[in-house]
Amino acid sequence: MADTRRTSIDNAEVERFSALAAEWWNPNGKFRPLHKFNPVRLAYIRDQVAQRFGRDPRAAHPLKGLRFLDIGCGGGLLCEPMARLGADVVGADASETNIEVAKLHAGESRVSVDYRATTAETLAEEGEKFDVVLNMEVVEHVSDVGFFIGKCAEMLKPDGIMFVATINRTLKALGLAIVGAEYVLRWLPRGTHQFGKLVRPEELEQALSSAGLRIADRTGVVYSPLSDRWQRSRDMDVNYMVLAERLPA
């Protein structure tokens, strides 16, 4: 009998990223934009976590003692830096190929990360709990945003927080993140993003609210061609990140 359980996984998206797995740790390869994007999102996560949990962001290991889940971790571009900052990190991805690449690189780098080829719903069913859930550049690739966010929220400890990064569904995003990045500049393979699956902030807020969370902080992220780097901005028309916390009882 076929397994008809509800899932957040879009198999076409998993296959697309699995085919690119060997490129994850090549800073000049197919995932070059994520390598460029990493510093600004790492700083945002570190500073917000430090503020929420009373840590010194300038300390060598400000995340020590905190349990992190990086859901949709890919090759581990966020997992390894979080682990180096002291976090106890679980990296989960539906692609077994991505997880094998992540494990190999972590071993070569001598960084301890608990990598698992699994899904958010499976982890939630297993009763996993985390202080911080990293949900970065994932919601635009799942089959059911509300269901996925709900399962991630289930895994938060009572004082836990969730970070979500994604792309807004605007004409500006269509021009820059899809036409510009995939077809003109060729920073990403064509088809990496589908306009209809991009998520507007109000849609994400509704999904978070339904899961018992609210947005505690939000920021846009824009690319500066002059400095060749990403930086935080008030402009959320294309890329944006949010921090979510539990709604008061």
Side-chain angles (χ1 to χ4, degrees):
M1 184 177 179
D3 187 348
T4 58
R5 288 182 300 175
R6 192 176 181 186
T7 178
S8 64
I9 300 303
D10 183 324
N11 289 323
E13 295 282 0
V14 174
E15 291 172 6
R16 181 178 296 113
F17 283 94
S18 293
L20 300 171
E23 294 278 340
W24 276 108
W25 287 95
N26 179 358
N28 297 308
K30 302 292 186 181
F31 292 103
R32 181 176 180 270
L34 280 182
H35 284 269
K36 289 286 187 182
F37 197 45
N38 238 15
V40 68
R41 63 180 186 170
L42 287 171
Y44 182 68
I45 293 166
R46 180 202 61 207
D47 292 348
Q48 290 290 340
V49 170
Q51 179 182 336
R52 294 275 165 169
F53 291 94
R55 308 298 180 87
D56 180 357
R58 299 165 297 179
H61 301 106
L63 309 182
K64 187 175 181 179
L66 297 176
R67 193 163 191 247
F68 275 56
L69 169 64
D70 184 5
I71 189 70
C73 66
L77 298 188
L78 269 178
C79 292
E80 289 194 19
M82 294 296 113
R84 288 194 181 96
L85 290 173
D88 176 9
V89 182
V90 173
D93 199 282
S95 166
E96 293 186 8
T97 307
N98 285 346
I99 290 298
E100 290 307 311
V101 169
K103 285 180 177 178
L104 179 62
H105 193 273
E108 293 173 347
S109 304
R110 298 184 179 181
V111 178
S112 178
V113 177
D114 179 3
Y115 283 117
R116 307 182 196 178
T118 189
T119 64
E121 47 268 31
T122 298
L123 288 169
E125 288 170 5
E126 292 171 348
E128 293 283 3
K129 297 294 180 183
F130 301 91
D131 298 291
V132 180
V133 171
L134 303 179
N135 193 331
M136 313 299 279
E137 292 79 44
V138 180
V139 294
E140 69 270 26
H141 300 293
V142 302
S143 63
D144 186 328
V145 174
F147 177 69
F148 176 67
I149 289 291
K151 289 300 177 182
C152 291
E154 283 182 27
M155 293 185 279
L156 286 175
K157 293 181 181 179
D159 60 347
I161 56 177
M162 184 194 302
F163 292 88
V164 185
T166 189
I167 302 174
N168 201 345
R169 194 171 68 254
T170 62
L171 290 178
K172 185 175 180 180
L174 173 63
L176 295 178
I178 296 180
V179 176
E182 297 181 18
Y183 291 84
V184 179
L185 298 173
R186 297 186 179 180
W187 285 351
L188 294 166
R190 293 183 180 184
T192 297
H193 295 103
Q194 300 172 48
F195 182 71
K197 295 190 73 172
L198 303 184
V199 183
R200 292 173 176 160
E202 60 270 24
E203 295 168 344
L204 178 58
E205 185 169 4
Q206 177 57 51
L208 290 166
S209 178
S210 296
L213 305 178
R214 68 178 177 188
I215 295 177
D217 189 75
R218 69 190 81 201
T219 181
V221 187
V222 299
Y223 175 72
S224 170
L226 295 178
S227 60
D228 188 28
R229 67 185 181 90
W230 291 84
Q231 58 195 28
R232 291 178 57 186
S233 167
R234 293 181 179 179
D235 182 356
M236 294 177 59
D237 285 345
V238 184
N239 295 84
Y240 67 97
M241 298 187 289
V242 305
L243 167 64
E245 63 183 6
R246 291 202 178 279
L247 287 165

